[in-house]
Amino acid sequence: METFLVSLVALLVILDPIGTAAVFVGITPRDSEARRRSQAIRATLISVVVLTGFAFLGEFLLRAMDITLPAFQIAGGLLLFVLAFDMVMQRPSGLRATESERSEAEASDDDVSVFPLAIPLIAGPGAMTSVVLLRGRAGDDPAQVVAVLAALLVALAIMLACLLAAGTMTRIVGKTGTHVIGRVLGVVLAALSAQLVIDGIRAGFGFA
């Protein structure tokens, strides 16, 4: 249960369902509710496939490149800290969709379910890094692995719920509320990223 809760909190902070829902409304200003619904469902399913695949194949790629998990934990923790800084200071870090990507989507009438909604808004570099780290920390314990995957599915289910209720949610929370929530989540993510770095250093140098 602890692994599930830790993984769920980490993924929710990184995915930022409320903030993503607000962006979703912004990039689909002329879409009907039915079209938004279909795009939200399609984007979530794509994200499930991408992130689940990355959770398993990511560690294989690390082994192929002779990169240890502690090294990846430290690097991933530092990258997530950059993302946390981005969330708190409202500055672009490159780990999320850039302003040019969002502007391109806003100017287009194309389906946004793949780009930029699924990638990089939901299954972005931050989320991909996180699932590899969480999967790596689970080790070879089947119960721990199932807990991480369950947390991923629950987090994406919450994301889907927020996307489906995007219009109503953004009207209730407002732009200011969205920014406040994003910054608070950024502080939490900074603490989580620091813990990943500490764990990586301990594992890499054999500290207890």
Side-chain angles (χ1 to χ4, degrees), residues 11 44-59 123 127-128 131-132 135 145 148-154 156:
L11 290 168
T44 304
L45 292 176
I46 292 170
S47 300
V48 169
V49 173
V50 170
L51 293 178
T52 302
F54 210 80
F56 287 98
L57 296 179
E59 193 170 354
M128 292 178 185
V131 294
V132 173
R135 169 67 183 84
V145 174
V148 171
L149 293 178
L152 175 60
L153 293 177
V154 171
L156 289 174

Side-chain angles (χ1 to χ4, degrees), residues 145-168:
V145 174
V146 170
V148 171
L149 293 178
L152 175 60
L153 293 177
V154 171
L156 289 174
I158 293 172
M159 171 66 78
L160 176 59
C162 289
L163 291 176
L164 293 176
T168 303

